[in-house]
Structures are given as C-alpha cells and as structure tokens.
Coordinates of all heavy atoms in Angstrom, one line a residue:
M115 N 26.0 8.4 -127.8 CA 26.0 7.3 -126.9 C 26.6 6.1 -127.5 O 26.4 5.8 -128.7 CB 24.6 7.0 -126.5 CG 24.0 7.8 -125.3 SD 22.5 7.2 -124.7 CE 21.3 8.3 -125.3
I116 N 27.4 5.3 -126.7 CA 27.9 4.0 -127.2 C 27.1 2.9 -126.7 O 26.9 2.7 -125.5 CB 29.4 3.8 -126.7 CG1 30.2 5.0 -127.1 CG2 30.0 2.5 -127.3 CD1 31.5 5.2 -126.2
E117 N 26.5 2.1 -127.6 CA 25.6 1.0 -127.2 C 26.4 -0.3 -126.9 O 27.3 -0.7 -127.7 CB 24.6 0.7 -128.3 CG 23.6 -0.4 -127.9 CD 22.6 -0.7 -129.0 OE1 22.4 0.1 -129.9 OE2 22.2 -1.9 -129.0
I118 N 26.2 -0.9 -125.7 CA 26.9 -2.1 -125.3 C 25.8 -3.2 -125.2 O 24.8 -3.0 -124.6 CB 27.5 -1.9 -123.9 CG1 28.6 -0.8 -123.9 CG2 28.2 -3.2 -123.4 CD1 29.0 -0.2 -122.6
K119 N 26.0 -4.3 -125.9 CA 25.0 -5.4 -126.0 C 24.8 -6.1 -124.7 O 25.8 -6.6 -124.2 CB 25.4 -6.4 -127.1 CG 25.3 -5.8 -128.5 CD 24.1 -6.4 -129.3 CE 23.9 -5.7 -130.6 NZ 22.7 -6.1 -131.3
K120 N 23.6 -6.2 -124.2 CA 23.2 -6.9 -123.0 C 21.7 -6.6 -122.7 O 21.3 -5.5 -122.8 CB 24.1 -6.3 -121.8 CG 23.9 -7.1 -120.5 CD 24.9 -6.4 -119.5 CE 24.2 -6.3 -118.1 NZ 25.0 -5.4 -117.2
I121 N 20.9 -7.6 -122.4 CA 19.5 -7.4 -122.1 C 19.3 -7.3 -120.6 O 19.8 -8.1 -119.8 CB 18.7 -8.6 -122.6 CG1 18.8 -8.8 -124.1 CG2 17.2 -8.4 -122.2 CD1 18.4 -7.6 -125.0
C122 N 18.6 -6.2 -120.1 CA 18.4 -6.0 -118.7 C 17.2 -5.0 -118.5 O 16.5 -4.8 -119.4 CB 19.6 -5.4 -118.1 SG 20.4 -4.2 -119.1
Y123 N 17.0 -4.5 -117.3 CA 15.9 -3.6 -116.9 C 16.3 -2.2 -117.1 O 17.4 -1.8 -116.7 CB 15.4 -3.9 -115.5 CG 14.8 -5.3 -115.4 CD1 15.6 -6.4 -115.0 CD2 13.4 -5.5 -115.7 CE1 15.0 -7.7 -114.9 CE2 12.9 -6.7 -115.6 CZ 13.7 -7.8 -115.2 OH 13.1 -9.1 -115.1
C124 N 15.4 -1.3 -117.5 CA 15.6 0.1 -117.7 C 15.8 0.8 -116.3 O 15.0 0.6 -115.4 CB 14.5 0.7 -118.4 SG 14.6 2.5 -118.6
D125 N 16.9 1.5 -116.2 CA 17.2 2.2 -114.9 C 16.2 3.4 -114.6 O 16.1 3.9 -113.5 CB 18.6 2.8 -114.9 CG 19.7 1.8 -114.6 OD1 19.4 0.9 -113.8 OD2 20.8 1.9 -115.1
L126 N 15.5 3.8 -115.6 CA 14.5 4.9 -115.4 C 13.1 4.4 -115.2 O 12.4 4.8 -114.3 CB 14.6 5.9 -116.6 CG 15.9 6.7 -116.8 CD1 15.9 7.4 -118.1 CD2 16.1 7.6 -115.6
C127 N 12.6 3.6 -116.1 CA 11.2 3.2 -116.0 C 11.0 1.7 -115.6 O 9.9 1.2 -115.4 CB 10.4 3.4 -117.3 SG 10.9 2.2 -118.6
K128 N 12.1 1.0 -115.4 CA 12.2 -0.4 -114.8 C 11.6 -1.4 -115.8 O 11.4 -2.6 -115.4 CB 11.5 -0.5 -113.5 CG 11.9 0.6 -112.4 CD 13.4 0.5 -112.1 CE 13.8 1.7 -111.2 NZ 15.2 1.9 -111.2
K129 N 11.4 -1.0 -117.0 CA 10.8 -2.0 -118.0 C 11.9 -3.0 -118.5 O 13.1 -2.6 -118.6 CB 10.3 -1.2 -119.3 CG 8.8 -1.4 -119.4 CD 8.2 -0.5 -120.5 CE 8.8 -0.8 -121.9 NZ 8.2 0.2 -122.9
E130 N 11.5 -4.2 -118.8 CA 12.5 -5.2 -119.3 C 12.9 -4.9 -120.7 O 12.1 -4.3 -121.5 CB 11.8 -6.6 -119.2 CG 12.8 -7.7 -119.1 CD 12.1 -9.1 -119.1 OE1 11.0 -9.2 -118.5 OE2 12.6 -10.0 -119.7
G131 N 14.0 -5.4 -121.1 CA 14.5 -5.3 -122.5 C 15.3 -4.0 -122.7 O 15.3 -3.5 -123.8
A132 N 16.0 -3.5 -121.7 CA 16.8 -2.3 -121.9 C 18.2 -2.8 -122.3 O 18.6 -4.0 -122.2 CB 16.9 -1.6 -120.5
K133 N 19.0 -1.8 -122.8 CA 20.4 -2.1 -123.2 C 21.3 -1.2 -122.4 O 20.8 -0.1 -122.0 CB 20.5 -1.8 -124.7 CG 19.8 -2.9 -125.6 CD 19.9 -2.5 -127.0 CE 19.1 -3.4 -127.9 NZ 18.9 -2.9 -129.3
T134 N 22.5 -1.6 -122.3 CA 23.5 -0.7 -121.5 C 24.1 0.3 -122.4 O 24.6 0.0 -123.5 CB 24.6 -1.6 -120.9 OG1 23.9 -2.6 -120.1 CG2 25.5 -0.8 -120.0
Y135 N 24.1 1.5 -122.0 CA 24.8 2.6 -122.7 C 25.8 3.3 -121.8 O 25.7 3.3 -120.6 CB 23.7 3.7 -123.1 CG 22.7 3.2 -124.1 CD1 21.5 2.7 -123.6 CD2 22.9 3.3 -125.5 CE1 20.5 2.2 -124.5 CE2 21.9 2.9 -126.3 CZ 20.7 2.3 -125.9 OH 19.8 1.9 -126.7
K136 N 26.8 3.9 -122.5 CA 27.7 4.8 -121.7 C 27.3 6.2 -122.2 O 27.4 6.5 -123.4 CB 29.2 4.5 -122.1 CG 29.8 3.6 -121.1 CD 31.3 3.7 -121.2 CE 32.0 2.8 -120.2 NZ 32.0 3.2 -118.9
T137 N 26.8 7.0 -121.2 CA 26.4 8.4 -121.6 C 26.6 9.3 -120.5 O 26.9 8.9 -119.3 CB 24.9 8.3 -122.0 OG1 24.5 9.6 -122.5 CG2 24.0 8.0 -120.8
L138 N 26.5 10.6 -120.7 CA 26.7 11.6 -119.7 C 25.5 11.7 -118.8 O 24.4 11.7 -119.2 CB 26.9 13.0 -120.3 CG 28.3 13.3 -120.8 CD1 28.3 14.7 -121.5 CD2 29.4 13.3 -119.8
V139 N 25.7 11.6 -117.4 CA 24.7 11.7 -116.4 C 25.1 12.8 -115.5 O 26.2 13.0 -115.1 CB 24.6 10.4 -115.6 CG1 23.6 10.5 -114.4 CG2 24.1 9.2 -116.5
R140 N 24.1 13.7 -115.1 CA 24.3 14.7 -114.1 C 24.1 14.2 -112.8 O 23.0 13.9 -112.3 CB 23.4 15.9 -114.4 CG 23.7 17.1 -113.5 CD 22.9 18.3 -113.8 NE 21.5 18.1 -113.6 CZ 20.6 19.1 -113.6 NH1 20.9 20.3 -114.0 NH2 19.3 18.8 -113.4
F141 N 25.2 13.9 -112.0 CA 25.2 13.3 -110.7 C 25.0 14.4 -109.6 O 25.6 15.5 -109.7 CB 26.4 12.5 -110.4 CG 26.2 11.0 -110.6 CD1 26.3 10.5 -111.9 CD2 25.8 10.2 -109.6 CE1 26.1 9.2 -112.1 CE2 25.6 8.9 -109.8 CZ 25.7 8.3 -111.1
H142 N 24.2 14.1 -108.6 CA 23.9 15.0 -107.5 C 24.6 14.5 -106.2 O 24.5 15.1 -105.1 CB 22.4 15.1 -107.2 CG 21.7 15.7 -108.4 ND1 21.3 17.0 -108.4 CD2 21.4 15.1 -109.6 CE1 20.7 17.2 -109.6 NE2 20.7 16.1 -110.3
T143 N 25.4 13.4 -106.3 CA 26.1 12.9 -105.1 C 27.5 12.5 -105.5 O 27.7 12.2 -106.7 CB 25.5 11.6 -104.5 OG1 25.4 10.6 -105.5 CG2 24.1 11.9 -103.9
E144 N 28.5 12.6 -104.6 CA 29.8 12.1 -104.9 C 29.7 10.5 -104.9 O 28.8 10.0 -104.3 CB 30.9 12.7 -104.0 CG 30.6 12.6 -102.5 CD 31.0 11.3 -101.9 OE1 31.8 10.6 -102.5 OE2 30.4 11.0 -100.9
Q145 N 30.6 9.8 -105.5 CA 30.5 8.4 -105.8 C 31.0 7.5 -104.7 O 30.9 6.3 -104.8 CB 31.1 8.0 -107.1 CG 30.4 8.8 -108.3 CD 29.1 8.1 -108.7 OE1 29.1 7.1 -109.3 NE2 28.0 8.8 -108.3
N146 N 31.7 8.0 -103.7 CA 32.3 7.1 -102.6 C 31.3 6.8 -101.5 O 31.1 5.7 -101.1 CB 33.6 7.7 -102.1 CG 34.7 7.7 -103.1 OD1 34.8 6.7 -103.9 ND2 35.4 8.7 -103.2
E147 N 30.7 7.9 -100.9 CA 29.8 7.7 -99.8 C 28.4 8.2 -100.1 O 27.5 8.1 -99.2 CB 30.4 8.4 -98.5 CG 31.6 7.7 -98.0 CD 32.4 8.6 -97.0 OE1 31.7 9.4 -96.3 OE2 33.6 8.4 -96.9
G148 N 28.2 8.7 -101.3 CA 26.9 9.2 -101.7 C 26.4 10.5 -101.1 O 25.2 10.8 -101.0
R149 N 27.4 11.3 -100.6 CA 27.1 12.7 -100.1 C 26.6 13.6 -101.2 O 27.1 13.6 -102.3 CB 28.3 13.3 -99.4 CG 28.6 12.7 -98.0 CD 29.7 13.5 -97.4 NE 30.9 13.4 -98.2 CZ 32.0 12.8 -97.8 NH1 32.1 12.4 -96.6 NH2 33.1 12.7 -98.6
I150 N 25.6 14.5 -100.9 CA 25.1 15.4 -101.8 C 26.1 16.5 -102.1 O 26.7 17.1 -101.2 CB 23.8 16.0 -101.3 CG1 22.7 15.0 -101.3 CG2 23.3 17.2 -102.2 CD1 21.4 15.4 -100.6
V151 N 26.4 16.7 -103.4 CA 27.4 17.8 -103.8 C 26.8 18.6 -104.9 O 25.7 18.4 -105.4 CB 28.7 17.1 -104.3 CG1 29.4 16.4 -103.2 CG2 28.4 16.2 -105.5
E152 N 27.5 19.7 -105.3 CA 27.1 20.5 -106.5 C 27.0 19.5 -107.7 O 28.0 18.8 -108.0 CB 28.2 21.6 -106.7 CG 27.8 22.7 -107.6 CD 26.7 23.6 -107.0 OE1 26.7 23.8 -105.8 OE2 25.9 24.1 -107.8
P153 N 25.8 19.5 -108.5 CA 25.7 18.6 -109.6 C 26.8 18.7 -110.6 O 27.3 19.8 -110.9 CB 24.4 19.0 -110.2 CG 23.6 19.6 -109.1 CD 24.6 20.3 -108.3
Y154 N 27.3 17.5 -111.1 CA 28.4 17.5 -112.1 C 28.1 16.4 -113.1 O 27.3 15.5 -112.8 CB 29.7 17.2 -111.4 CG 29.7 15.9 -110.7 CD1 30.3 14.7 -111.3 CD2 29.2 15.7 -109.4 CE1 30.3 13.5 -110.6 CE2 29.2 14.5 -108.8 CZ 29.7 13.4 -109.4 OH 29.7 12.2 -108.7
F155 N 28.6 16.5 -114.3 CA 28.4 15.6 -115.4 C 29.5 14.6 -115.4 O 30.7 14.9 -115.3 CB 28.3 16.2 -116.8 CG 26.9 16.9 -117.0 CD1 26.8 18.2 -116.7 CD2 25.9 16.1 -117.5 CE1 25.5 18.8 -116.9 CE2 24.7 16.7 -117.7 CZ 24.5 18.1 -117.4
T156 N 29.2 13.3 -115.6 CA 30.2 12.2 -115.6 C 29.7 11.1 -116.6 O 28.5 10.8 -116.7 CB 30.5 11.7 -114.2 OG1 31.6 10.8 -114.3 CG2 29.3 11.0 -113.6
L157 N 30.7 10.5 -117.3 CA 30.3 9.4 -118.2 C 30.0 8.2 -117.4 O 30.8 7.7 -116.6 CB 31.5 9.1 -119.1 CG 31.3 8.3 -120.4 CD1 30.2 9.0 -121.3 CD2 32.6 8.1 -121.2
T158 N 28.8 7.6 -117.6 CA 28.3 6.5 -116.7 C 27.7 5.4 -117.5 O 27.1 5.7 -118.6 CB 27.2 7.1 -115.8 OG1 27.7 8.2 -115.1 CG2 26.7 6.1 -114.8
S159 N 27.8 4.2 -117.1 CA 27.1 3.0 -117.7 C 25.7 3.0 -117.2 O 25.5 3.0 -115.9 CB 27.7 1.7 -117.4 OG 28.9 1.6 -118.2
I160 N 24.6 3.0 -118.0 CA 23.3 3.1 -117.6 C 22.4 2.2 -118.5 O 22.7 2.1 -119.7 CB 22.7 4.5 -117.6 CG1 21.3 4.6 -117.1 CG2 22.9 5.2 -118.9 CD1 20.9 6.0 -116.8
E161 N 21.4 1.4 -117.9 CA 20.5 0.6 -118.7 C 19.3 1.4 -119.1 O 18.7 2.0 -118.2 CB 20.1 -0.6 -117.9 CG 21.1 -1.7 -117.9 CD 22.2 -1.6 -116.8 OE1 21.8 -1.4 -115.6 OE2 23.4 -1.6 -117.1
L162 N 19.0 1.5 -120.4 CA 17.8 2.3 -120.9 C 17.0 1.5 -121.9 O 17.6 0.8 -122.7 CB 18.3 3.6 -121.6 CG 19.0 4.6 -120.7 CD1 19.5 5.7 -121.6 CD2 18.1 5.2 -119.6
C163 N 15.7 1.6 -121.8 CA 14.8 1.0 -122.9 C 14.9 2.0 -124.0 O 15.4 3.2 -123.9 CB 13.4 0.8 -122.3 SG 12.5 2.3 -122.0
E164 N 14.3 1.6 -125.2 CA 14.4 2.5 -126.4 C 13.7 3.8 -126.1 O 14.2 4.9 -126.5 CB 13.8 1.7 -127.5 CG 14.5 2.1 -128.9 CD 14.2 1.1 -129.9 OE1 14.6 0.0 -129.9 OE2 13.4 1.5 -130.9
K165 N 12.5 3.8 -125.5 CA 11.7 5.0 -125.2 C 12.4 6.0 -124.4 O 12.5 7.2 -124.7 CB 10.4 4.6 -124.6 CG 9.3 4.3 -125.6 CD 7.9 4.2 -124.9 CE 6.8 3.9 -125.9 NZ 5.5 3.7 -125.2
C166 N 13.0 5.5 -123.3 CA 13.8 6.4 -122.4 C 15.0 6.9 -123.1 O 15.4 8.1 -122.9 CB 14.1 5.7 -121.1 SG 12.6 5.5 -120.0
A167 N 15.7 6.1 -123.8 CA 17.0 6.5 -124.5 C 16.6 7.7 -125.5 O 17.4 8.6 -125.6 CB 17.6 5.4 -125.2
E168 N 15.4 7.6 -126.1 CA 15.0 8.6 -127.1 C 14.8 9.9 -126.4 O 15.1 11.0 -127.0 CB 13.7 8.2 -127.8 CG 13.9 7.4 -129.0 CD 12.6 6.8 -129.6 OE1 11.6 7.4 -129.3 OE2 12.7 5.9 -130.4
K169 N 14.1 9.9 -125.2 CA 13.8 11.2 -124.6 C 14.8 11.7 -123.6 O 14.6 12.8 -123.0 CB 12.4 11.1 -123.9 CG 12.2 10.2 -122.8 CD 10.8 10.1 -122.3 CE 10.6 9.1 -121.3 NZ 9.2 8.9 -120.9
A170 N 15.9 10.9 -123.3 CA 16.9 11.3 -122.4 C 17.7 12.4 -122.9 O 18.5 12.3 -123.8 CB 17.7 10.1 -122.0
I171 N 17.6 13.6 -122.4 CA 18.4 14.8 -122.7 C 19.4 15.0 -121.5 O 20.6 14.9 -121.7 CB 17.6 16.0 -123.0 CG1 16.6 15.7 -124.2 CG2 18.5 17.2 -123.3 CD1 15.5 16.7 -124.3
I172 N 18.8 15.2 -120.4 CA 19.7 15.2 -119.2 C 19.2 14.1 -118.2 O 18.1 14.2 -117.8 CB 19.6 16.6 -118.4 CG1 20.2 17.7 -119.3 CG2 20.4 16.5 -117.1 CD1 20.1 19.1 -118.8
I173 N 20.1 13.2 -117.9 CA 19.8 12.1 -117.0 C 20.5 12.5 -115.7 O 21.6 12.9 -115.7 CB 20.3 10.8 -117.5 CG1 19.7 10.4 -118.8 CG2 20.1 9.7 -116.4 CD1 20.3 9.2 -119.5
N174 N 19.7 12.5 -114.6 CA 20.2 12.8 -113.3 C 20.6 11.5 -112.5 O 20.0 10.5 -112.8 CB 19.2 13.6 -112.4 CG 18.9 14.9 -113.0 OD1 19.7 15.8 -112.9 ND2 17.8 15.0 -113.7
G175 N 21.5 11.6 -111.6 CA 21.9 10.4 -110.9 C 22.4 10.7 -109.5 O 22.8 11.8 -109.2
E176 N 22.3 9.7 -108.6 CA 22.8 9.8 -107.2 C 23.2 8.4 -106.7 O 22.6 7.4 -107.2 CB 21.8 10.4 -106.3 CG 20.6 9.6 -106.0 CD 19.6 10.3 -105.1 OE1 19.8 11.5 -104.8 OE2 18.6 9.6 -104.7
G177 N 24.1 8.3 -105.8 CA 24.5 6.9 -105.3 C 25.9 6.9 -105.0 O 26.6 7.9 -105.1
A178 N 26.4 5.7 -104.6 CA 27.8 5.4 -104.3 C 28.2 4.0 -104.6 O 27.3 3.1 -104.6 CB 28.0 5.7 -102.8
Q179 N 29.4 3.8 -104.8 CA 30.0 2.4 -104.9 C 29.3 1.7 -106.1 O 29.1 0.5 -106.0 CB 29.9 1.6 -103.6 CG 30.4 2.3 -102.4 CD 32.0 2.3 -102.4 OE1 32.6 1.5 -103.0 NE2 32.5 3.3 -101.7
G180 N 28.9 2.4 -107.1 CA 28.3 1.7 -108.3 C 26.8 1.4 -108.1 O 26.2 0.8 -109.0
N181 N 26.2 1.7 -106.9 CA 24.8 1.4 -106.6 C 24.1 2.8 -106.8 O 24.0 3.6 -105.9 CB 24.7 0.9 -105.2 CG 23.3 0.5 -104.9 OD1 22.4 0.4 -105.7 ND2 23.0 0.2 -103.6
N182 N 23.6 3.0 -108.0 CA 23.1 4.3 -108.4 C 21.6 4.3 -108.7 O 21.1 3.3 -109.1 CB 23.9 4.9 -109.5 CG 25.3 5.1 -109.2 OD1 25.7 5.5 -108.1 ND2 26.2 4.7 -110.1
R183 N 21.0 5.5 -108.6 CA 19.6 5.7 -108.9 C 19.6 6.8 -110.0 O 20.3 7.8 -109.8 CB 18.8 6.1 -107.7 CG 17.3 5.9 -107.7 CD 16.7 6.2 -106.4 NE 16.8 7.7 -106.2 CZ 16.0 8.6 -106.7 NH1 15.0 8.2 -107.6 NH2 16.1 9.8 -106.5
F184 N 18.7 6.6 -111.0 CA 18.7 7.6 -112.1 C 17.3 8.1 -112.3 O 16.3 7.4 -112.1 CB 19.1 6.9 -113.4 CG 20.5 6.4 -113.3 CD1 20.8 5.0 -113.1 CD2 21.6 7.2 -113.4 CE1 22.1 4.6 -113.0 CE2 22.9 6.8 -113.4 CZ 23.1 5.4 -113.2
W185 N 17.1 9.4 -112.7 CA 15.8 10.0 -113.0 C 16.0 11.1 -114.0 O 17.1 11.6 -114.2 CB 15.1 10.5 -111.8 CG 15.7 11.7 -111.1 CD1 15.3 13.0 -111.3 CD2 16.8 11.8 -110.2 NE1 16.1 13.8 -110.5 CE2 17.0 13.1 -109.9 CE3 17.7 10.8 -109.7 CZ2 18.0 13.5 -109.0 CZ3 18.7 11.2 -108.9 CH2 18.9 12.5 -108.5
L186 N 14.8 11.5 -114.6 CA 14.9 12.5 -115.7 C 14.4 13.9 -115.2 O 14.7 14.9 -115.9 CB 14.0 12.1 -116.9 CG 14.6 11.0 -117.8 CD1 13.5 10.6 -118.9 CD2 15.9 11.5 -118.4
N187 N 13.6 14.0 -114.2 CA 13.1 15.4 -113.8 C 14.1 16.1 -113.0 O 15.2 15.7 -112.8 CB 11.8 15.2 -113.0 CG 11.9 14.5 -111.7 OD1 13.0 14.4 -111.2 ND2 10.8 13.9 -111.3
N188 N 13.8 17.3 -112.4 CA 14.7 18.2 -111.7 C 14.4 18.2 -110.2 O 14.1 19.3 -109.7 CB 14.7 19.6 -112.3 CG 15.2 19.6 -113.7 OD1 16.1 18.8 -114.1 ND2 14.6 20.4 -114.5
R189 N 14.3 17.0 -109.6 CA 13.9 16.9 -108.2 C 14.7 17.9 -107.3 O 14.1 18.6 -106.5 CB 14.0 15.5 -107.7 CG 13.4 15.2 -106.4 CD 13.3 13.7 -106.1 NE 14.6 13.1 -106.2 CZ 15.4 12.9 -105.1 NH1 14.9 13.3 -103.9 NH2 16.5 12.2 -105.1
Y190 N 16.0 17.9 -107.4 CA 16.9 18.7 -106.5 C 16.7 20.2 -106.8 O 16.7 21.0 -106.0 CB 18.3 18.3 -106.7 CG 18.6 17.0 -105.9 CD1 18.6 15.8 -106.5 CD2 18.9 17.1 -104.5 CE1 18.8 14.6 -105.8 CE2 19.1 15.9 -103.8 CZ 19.1 14.7 -104.4 OH 19.3 13.6 -103.7
D191 N 16.5 20.5 -108.1 CA 16.4 21.9 -108.5 C 15.1 22.4 -107.9 O 15.1 23.5 -107.4 CB 16.3 22.0 -110.1 CG 17.6 21.6 -110.7 OD1 18.6 21.4 -110.0 OD2 17.6 21.3 -111.9
E192 N 14.0 21.6 -108.0 CA 12.7 22.1 -107.4 C 12.8 22.3 -105.9 O 12.4 23.2 -105.4 CB 11.6 21.0 -107.7 CG 11.2 21.0 -109.1 CD 10.4 19.7 -109.5 OE1 10.0 19.0 -108.6 OE2 10.3 19.4 -110.7
K193 N 13.5 21.4 -105.2 CA 13.7 21.4 -103.8 C 14.5 22.7 -103.4 O 14.1 23.4 -102.5 CB 14.5 20.2 -103.3 CG 14.3 19.9 -101.8 CD 15.2 18.9 -101.3 CE 14.9 17.5 -101.6 NZ 15.9 16.5 -101.1
E194 N 15.6 23.0 -104.2 CA 16.4 24.2 -103.9 C 15.5 25.5 -104.1 O 15.6 26.4 -103.4 CB 17.6 24.2 -104.9 CG 18.7 23.4 -104.4 CD 19.8 23.2 -105.4 OE1 19.8 23.9 -106.4 OE2 20.5 22.2 -105.3
A195 N 14.7 25.5 -105.2 CA 13.9 26.7 -105.5 C 12.9 27.0 -104.4 O 12.7 28.1 -104.0 CB 13.1 26.4 -106.8
K196 N 12.3 25.9 -103.8 CA 11.3 26.1 -102.7 C 12.0 26.6 -101.5 O 11.4 27.5 -100.8 CB 10.7 24.7 -102.4 CG 9.5 24.4 -103.3 CD 8.9 23.0 -103.0 CE 8.0 22.5 -104.1 NZ 7.7 21.1 -104.0
G197 N 13.2 26.2 -101.2 CA 14.0 26.6 -100.0 C 14.3 28.1 -100.1 O 14.4 28.7 -99.0
K198 N 14.4 28.7 -101.3 CA 14.8 30.1 -101.4 C 13.7 31.0 -101.2 O 13.9 32.2 -101.0 CB 15.5 30.3 -102.8 CG 16.9 29.8 -102.8 CD 17.5 29.8 -104.2 CE 18.8 29.1 -104.2 NZ 19.3 28.8 -105.6
K199 N 12.4 30.5 -101.3 CA 11.2 31.4 -101.2 C 10.9 31.8 -99.7 O 11.3 31.0 -98.8 CB 10.0 30.7 -101.8 CG 10.0 30.9 -103.3 CD 8.9 30.1 -104.0 CE 9.1 30.1 -105.5 NZ 8.2 29.2 -106.1
Ligands
ZN139 ZN1 12.7 3.1 -119.8

C-alpha cells in the first residue's frame, strides 16, 4: 500500500484520524452507474484507520462516480450462497 498524507474518517469503521491509501479493492459494482457485476479487483483510494489497515486483507467495494462504500465481510458471497440452496 502507498500511504498518502491526509487526516480524515475511516471508510470502514468511520473513526476519525484515518489516512488515505491506494490499495486493491474487490468491487461488486461497475463504476459508472453502480450496476452489480462479477466482482473484480481495482486499485482504489481509500481512507483507513490504523486498525482497519492492519486487518484489511480483502476490502470489498460498491458505488459509482467516486461515491463508494467499503466493507470487509462477504455480504454478496453469503447472499449468493443462500440463493443456491
Ligand atoms: Zn477503521
């Protein structure tokens, strides 16, 4: 991860005092209109506190036009698994 200096709120836990990183995020939507697509990895700017940066292995994302939401669990994977039963 490349650290970019700036103080802001964590995109995952919303705590103050996060820093901006450029890192790989697994996105679940395409970036123009926010339609759900097959998940893909893309280099993204994201604000993270130190705790979340430490535990971030796979960060998930969705959104469009730079207005994105991020999370660490497998919400879409769980939904897909339930649908198949
Ligand atoms: Zn955090």
